Amino acid sequence: MSSRTQAEVIVIGAGPSGLTAALYLARYRRDVLVIHDGNSRALRIPKTHNAPGFPEGITGPDLIERMTRHAAEFGARIEEDEVTGLERAGQGFLLTASSERQWESRAVILASGIFLNQVDLPHDLHEQAIEWGVLRYCPVCDGYEHSDARIGIIGCDSDGAAEALFLRQYSEDITLMPLSHPELSAEQQAEMEEAGIVVEMGALTALEPREDRMDVRLEGRDASLSFDVIYPALGSRPRAELAAGLGIALKEEGCVPAGSEKDSGIPGFFAAGDVVEGLDQISVAMGHGALAATKAHNWLREQDRHTLQTQG
Ligand SMILES: Cc1cc2nc3c(=O)[nH]c(=O)nc-3n(C[C@H](O)[C@H](O)[C@H](O)COP(=O)(O)OP(=O)(O)OC[C@H]3O[C@@H](n4cnc5c(N)ncnc54)[C@H](O)[C@@H]3O)c2cc1C
C-alpha cells in the first residue's frame, strides 16, 4: 500500500469534543490519530465557570492542555496540520492536509467546531477585550458573571433580541444596538419595550475597549455609550466544509445535522461538538465526543463481525 500514514480512526479537531473522542477511543484500544490546526475556540476562554468539576473555574488553555495530556496518556497520537480534503477511499477515508501530507483511516470523527462572526476590531485588541472581560460572545457561558451589569448587545435583529431577552434574566440594564440598521419587527420592538430593554437606532461606528468597560459610538450620537460588557449577536460559521465535501446535507445555519451518522449514507463518518447543531458548550461537546467515539468503536466492531454492541 502507499506510504500514507494510517489510523483506525482519525479525529479532526483537538477541542473538548475531539479530545474526549480521542480519550474514549484510546481506552477502547483503538489506534486513534487527532489532527488539528490549533484553532480550538476553547483556547480563547479566559476562565470558564460552567465546566463541571472545576468550581474555581479553569482557563481554556489549561483545560485543553489537561485533555490533550489525558488522551495522549492512553495512546492517542496528536498532530498539528490543517485538513483540507476528506474523501471516501475504498471502505474508508483519505485525508489530505494543506502541508500535502495524507492519511488513511477506517472511520472519521469530525470535531471541527465553528468560527464566530466577530466585531471589527484589530486582532490583538479584540483578544485583549475578551481577556479584560468587556467583550463576550456567549450569554449561556458568562451571563451569570454579568448580574446587574450594564450590558450592550450588538445585532438589532431577531438573534440580538433573543439574546437581549436571555440576558434580561441577569440585569435590568440592557441595550440593543444595530451593527448597521435595526431589523426588529413591530412585535419584537414591543417585546423589547415590555421587557425594559433599550433599543438604539444608530449604526455602530466604533468600539473602544477599556480595561473596565466598553465604550460604544453610534451614528447620530455625539457622546459614546459605556457598558460593563458587550455581547455581539452576529452568528457563527460552522467549520463543516469537509462534511459538505462528503455530500452531507448541512442545516440552514451551516452545521452538521444531529444523527448524521445514521442519515448521511456515509458509513464510518461521525461528527461531534459545536460543528453539530445544538448548544455550543464544553459539556455538550464532551458528551458528543464520548458518543461519537462509542458509535465509531461499535461500528468498527460490527465491520469486524463483533455484533453484540455496548450501548454506553
Ligand atoms: C471567548 C469564549 C468563551 C467561551 N466560554 C465558554 C464557557 O465558559 N463555557 C462553555 O461551555 N463554553 C464556552 N465557550 C464555547 C466553547 O469554547 C466551545 O463550545 C467548545 O470549544 C466546543 O468544542 P469543540 O471541540 O466542538 O470545538 P473547538 O474547541 O472549537 O475545537 C475545534 C477543533 O477543530 C480543529 N479544526 C477545525 N477545522 C480543522 C481542519 N480543517 N483541520 C484541522 N483541524 C481543524 C481546530 O483546530 C480545533 O482543534 C467559549 C468560547 C469562546 C470563544
Side-chain angles (χ1 to χ4, degrees):
M1 203 124 139
S2 72
S3 60
R4 294 163 184 156
T5 308
Q6 308 213 356
E8 268 185 305
V9 186
I10 291 184
V11 179
I12 303 171
S17 59
L19 292 170
T20 303
L23 170 66
Y24 273 63
L25 284 162
R27 288 179 53 84
Y28 293 145
R29 306 190 73 166
R30 292 290 175 188
D31 169 30
V32 54
L33 169 65
V34 178
I35 307 169
H36 72 99
D37 66 5
N39 275 317
S40 166
R41 283 212 301 146
L43 290 171
R44 301 173 70 190
I45 306 177
K47 195 179 239 192
T48 171
H49 298 278
N50 69 355
F54 297 98
E56 290 83 28
I58 183 166
T59 70
D62 190 5
L63 180 68
I64 292 299
E65 188 278 322
R66 286 169 187 243
M67 292 187 71
T68 303
R69 200 156 31 88
H70 197 172
E73 184 78 23
F74 287 94
R77 288 177 285 147
I78 299 172
E79 294 182 14
E80 196 159 342
D81 215 328
E82 184 199 11
V83 180
T84 49
L86 171 63
E87 58 193 274
R88 291 299 276 170
Q91 300 297 304
F93 297 88
L94 172 65
L95 291 86
T96 308
S98 49
S99 65
E100 296 187 2
R101 290 160 78 200
Q102 290 192 312
W103 301 268
E104 285 174 337
S105 67
R106 295 178 67 193
V108 161
I109 296 179
L110 184 71
S112 49
I114 60 173
F115 281 137
L116 284 173
N117 293 332
Q118 301 186 163
V119 285
D120 191 15
L121 280 173
H123 175 77
D124 288 353
L125 185 59
H126 186 275
E127 297 310 291
Q128 181 65 78
I130 289 180
E131 193 64 40
W132 283 333
V134 298
L135 178 62
R136 284 287 182 260
Y137 282 91
C138 174
V140 173
C141 313
D142 300 313
Y144 186 90
E145 273 62 48
H146 297 125
S147 297
D148 302 323
R150 295 170 300 165
I151 302 177
I153 293 132
I154 296 169
C156 209
D157 56 9
S158 51
D159 288 345
E163 211 153 285
L165 287 171
F166 180 89
L167 284 160
R168 184 64 186 76
Q169 175 81 1
Y170 300 100
S171 172
E172 290 182 357
D173 193 341
I174 309 267
T175 304
L176 190 54
M177 296 163 282
L179 190 61
S180 54
H181 56 277
E183 295 173 48
L184 295 183
S185 65
E187 202 183 320
Q188 288 165 338
Q189 183 85 37
E191 210 178 339
M192 295 299 105
E193 212 166 297
E194 200 180 319
I197 292 166
V198 176
V199 179
E200 291 285 342
M201 295 297 166
L204 177 75
T205 55
L207 282 177
E208 291 159 0
R210 318 267 180 222
E211 203 166 345
D212 60 345
R213 66 178 196 277
M214 180 74 90
D215 291 339
V216 179
R217 292 190 177 276
L218 299 176
E219 219 167 64
R221 272 188 175 273
D222 291 338
S224 56
L225 300 176
S226 287
F227 297 95
D228 297 312
V229 63
I230 288 290
Y231 281 87
L234 304 176
S236 63
R237 287 161 288 133
R239 298 189 69 186
E241 57 282 355
L242 294 171
L246 278 179
I248 290 168
L250 304 180
K251 303 288 288 183
E252 201 182 322
E253 326 76 72
C255 44
V256 176
S260 60
E261 59 275 358
K262 281 202 204 99
D263 312 329
S264 68
I266 305 188
F269 174 85
F270 306 87
D274 283 3
V275 74
V276 177
E277 64 179 312
L279 185 64
D280 295 342
Q281 287 285 281
I282 292 166
S283 55
V284 177
M286 289 178 173
H288 278 185
L291 275 173
T294 307
K295 285 179 186 169
H297 175 59
N298 280 340
W299 180 80
L300 287 166
R301 293 175 65 224
E302 205 179 289
Q303 301 307 298
D304 296 336
R305 307 270 182 259
H306 300 162
T307 48
L308 288 176
Q309 304 285 304
T310 303
Q311 294 308 311

